Amino acid sequence: MREYAKRYAGRLLLRDEIELPDYQLQALIKRGYFKLKPALIKRYFTHQCQRCGNKARHLFGVISCSNCQTAHLYCRKCIQMGRVMSCSPLYYWVGPDPDWSATDKRFAWKGELTKTQSQASDRVCHAIANGVNELLIHAVCGSGKTEIVFAGVAQVLNMNKRVCLATPRADVVRELLPRFQSAFPTTSIVGLYGGSGANQKTAQLTLSTTHQLLRYDNAFDLMIIDEMDAFPYHADPSLPYATKKAIKPGATTLYLTATPRQDMINQSKTPTVFVPERYHQFPLPVPKSVLLLKCPDVTWPKVFWKWYEQRPIKRQVLVFIATINRTQCLLPLIQSRYPQARIEAVHAKDPERITKVDLFRAKQLDVLLTTTILERGVTFPAIDVVVLDAGHPVFDQAALVQIAGRAGRSKVDPTGEVLFFHDGQTIAIREAIRSIKKMNKKAKIGKE
Ligand SMILES: [Zn+2]
Ligand SMILES: [Zn+2]
């Protein structure tokens, strides 16, 4: 029974996600270990999918079902994770709680927190110990927010309880997984994201895209939502729905972000911990705004060449470009100008995306052109950052702050240059630069 509890507790399952023959599943239901609930319930003028919360009428389809010989509704919204139909219930475990205590929980992180980090870490532990429901950690890019939550995670794991770190971005899951594995080497850990191949696996510590949380229900005692302001968390109501559903009553939810949305700060009464300082205690690089007469779409501005060639320190360069199309036009131009340099481009649809990012991280590339997919969650040690056409609408204030936050993350080279090329300063550019300066000021005041 212990194995079943580990495998099924806290999940909301379709029949074919339970790898048990019918007679065994029926026996477990009879003994009261599994319960069933309808997958689609009727609302006034529509239905609601109990897995993803979808209520939009156009996102329900009709299918002729071979089981019941009639046509009925299914949810199109969460179809990628298997079809939720009106005739097929969702299963959830109500048997004994899983026992995660078998292994000795070693917390092996050997780093040291700065004073600011350890104050924040204490607030996290205190919130967990006192059953505080929500805590917002507003921590600048490069402040080491993952390390700030480690002690709190260890605390919950030691209580034989479950922890989930959820983020809208699969890249962030991939980046964080090895770091958690080395900090908690004896804890069972799973990383869930589309294409991970592990999405039916369970563990005491789950790192997941918010999307994969649709499969969970009443599972976690500590939920950490990383980069909550990142697309598509707010654009898609099923993601906040999924995270709410995945936590247990009385759980603590920590929101980690470098760029909280204004509405979150204004209207929320959520207690906030502010971490204005980077872990290496150097200020955030302040972007230089470079005004051009006209920002060319598919050619490089001359001032870029000039800057690239005359830099006193030849760091790797990450160039942010507004659209996939433009990256494809600009790549051959820069490659042919610098035939000796190793230059590549990535975007969301690039099948070699992960390899190229790894190459850049390993310093095997000199320049990487990218769309906003690398705006956050990825760490490269010492780079300069350029945004071409920073006035383009894809670069909102949060994106620009995150992008600038990619530079100067290394202790040995903490400065890095950030350049915003544009042909007229937008509100986003101005506010991004202003908020970075404000953080630096706060960090300095904190030290005095
Ligand atoms: Zn659904
Ligand atoms: Zn049916």
Side-chain angles (χ1 to χ4, degrees):
M1 216 47 67
R2 280 195 162 183
E3 275 317 299
Y4 288 162
K6 276 189 180 169
R7 209 183 314 159
Y8 300 121
R11 301 180 73 208
L12 195 58
L13 298 149
L14 292 170
R15 173 64 189 93
D16 55 13
E17 289 178 300
I18 304 172
E19 319 84 345
L20 297 174
D22 275 333
Y23 75 92
Q24 229 168 341
L25 178 59
Q26 288 312 322
L28 288 170
I29 294 170
K30 233 180 184 164
R31 288 170 68 182
Y33 288 177
F34 264 112
K35 273 195 173 166
L36 284 66
K37 66 175 173 189
L40 303 180
I41 60 170
K42 215 165 157 42
R43 294 270 179 218
Y44 291 108
F45 296 105
T46 175
H47 287 77
Q48 187 180 31
C49 170
Q50 296 303 291
R51 186 168 65 177
C52 72
N54 168 34
K55 284 189 268 190
R57 250 199 269 181
H58 68 281
L59 290 176
F60 290 103
V62 176
I63 190 172
S64 59
C65 172
S66 54
N67 287 340
C68 25
Q69 309 287 327
T70 66
H72 55 62
L73 285 181
Y74 72 97
C75 179
R76 286 171 43 207
K77 170 105 199 200
C78 58
I79 183 84
Q80 287 162 296
M81 316 183 84
R83 198 189 302 273
V84 163
M85 292 201 286
S86 55
C87 70
S88 49
L90 293 166
Y91 296 78
Y92 59 103
W93 179 260
V94 284
D97 283 336
D99 179 12
W100 306 100
S101 63
T103 53
D104 89 292
K105 295 293 155 34
R106 209 143 48 75
F107 176 41
W109 186 66
K110 290 283 173 277
E112 217 175 288
L113 297 177
T114 63
K115 193 171 151 229
T116 322
Q117 283 179 319
S118 70
Q119 281 166 351
S121 171
D122 291 347
R123 286 278 303 274
V124 168
C125 293
H126 184 264
I128 294 167
N130 290 282
V132 172
N133 289 129
E134 291 187 317
L135 184 66
L136 170 67
I137 299 165
H138 179 181
V140 296
C141 300
S143 58
K145 54 190 163 62
T146 311
E147 289 76 15
I148 288 169
V149 299
F150 273 167
V153 170
Q155 186 180 328
V156 177
L157 295 175
N158 283 329
M159 291 190 288
N160 195 22
K161 291 179 170 178
R162 279 173 103 169
V163 179
C164 178
L165 184 147
T167 161
R169 316 274 291 237
D171 298 275
V172 178
V173 176
R174 280 192 292 266
E175 170 121 354
L176 290 180
L177 189 58
R179 289 167 64 188
F180 274 89
Q181 281 164 334
S182 65
F184 301 97
T186 53
T187 300
S188 62
I189 305 181
V190 69
L192 312 177
Y193 51 90
S196 68
N199 292 345
Q200 298 299 335
K201 293 210 179 96
T202 52
Q204 189 184 10
L205 173 55
T206 304
L207 308 186
S208 174
T209 55
T210 36
H211 193 77
Q212 293 297 324
L213 289 183
L214 292 176
R215 299 186 209 270
Y216 282 82
D217 187 58
N218 196 13
F220 303 107
D221 304 276
L222 173 63
M223 173 67 80
I224 303 164
I225 303 182
D226 197 7
E227 307 284 357
M228 62 166 311
D229 58 303
F231 181 82
Y233 189 76
H234 282 278
D236 182 349
S238 69
L239 301 180
Y241 173 90
T243 39
K244 284 253 146 55
K245 183 166 69 75
I247 59 173
K248 284 189 173 169
T252 299
T253 301
L254 306 174
Y255 298 99
L256 305 184
T257 176
T259 45
R261 287 152 42 105
Q262 207 53 44
D263 54 346
M264 172 110 197
I265 303 176
N266 293 347
Q267 43 151 285
S268 95
K269 294 177 192 74
T270 312
T272 303
V273 182
F274 196 70
V275 188
E277 182 188 67
R278 293 192 138 185
Y279 80 96
H280 56 39
Q281 306 187 10
F282 287 88
L284 296 157
V286 177
K288 291 192 191 99
S289 145
V290 183
L291 180 67
L292 306 174
L293 221 48
K294 168 95 189 71
C295 240
D297 298 359
V298 291
T299 55
W300 292 82
K302 285 203 185 83
V303 282
F304 173 84
W305 304 133
K306 204 172 153 208
W307 168 79
Y308 183 79
E309 287 157 19
Q310 294 177 357
R311 291 175 301 152
I313 306 172
K314 301 284 180 228
R315 298 188 184 93
Q316 290 174 284
V317 183
L318 192 58
V319 183
F320 285 86
I321 295 166
T323 65
I324 297 180
N325 207 350
R326 289 189 195 177
T327 52
Q328 284 160 344
C329 298
L330 291 167
L331 178 66
L333 299 178
I334 186 170
Q335 281 173 331
S336 63
R337 188 175 173 110
Y338 303 116
Q340 312 299 334
R342 298 159 299 177
I343 305 174
E344 285 295 343
V346 285
H347 51 79
K349 292 190 188 112
D350 185 349
E352 290 171 60
R353 163 181 172 178
I354 298 169
T355 328
K356 287 178 188 168
V357 171
D358 287 343
L359 281 176
F360 189 69
R361 192 177 287 124
K363 296 188 179 283
Q364 301 295 307
L365 292 175
D366 301 304
V367 180
L368 185 61
L369 316 188
T370 178
T371 56
T372 55
I373 54 160
L374 297 185
E375 77 179 30
R376 59 176 83 217
V378 286
T379 301
F380 307 110
I383 60 169
D384 287 333
V385 177
V386 169
V387 184
L388 291 183
D389 197 4
H392 192 283
V394 300
F395 300 119
D396 61 14
Q397 184 195 335
L400 291 171
V401 170
Q402 293 280 359
I403 286 170
R406 300 308 103 205
R409 294 178 77 115
S410 156
K411 213 171 201 158
V412 289
D413 181 12
T415 42
E417 274 195 88
V418 181
L419 297 178
F420 291 169
F421 290 98
H422 60 87
D423 51 16
Q425 208 174 53
T426 55
I427 295 172
I429 297 176
R430 199 178 60 224
E431 287 302 305
I433 296 175
R434 197 187 57 84
S435 71
I436 290 167
K437 286 183 177 163
K438 194 170 131 197
M439 303 271 194
N440 283 340
K441 218 168 165 183
K442 281 199 182 193
K444 212 170 145 195
I445 292 166
K447 267 193 222 139
E448 279 163 9

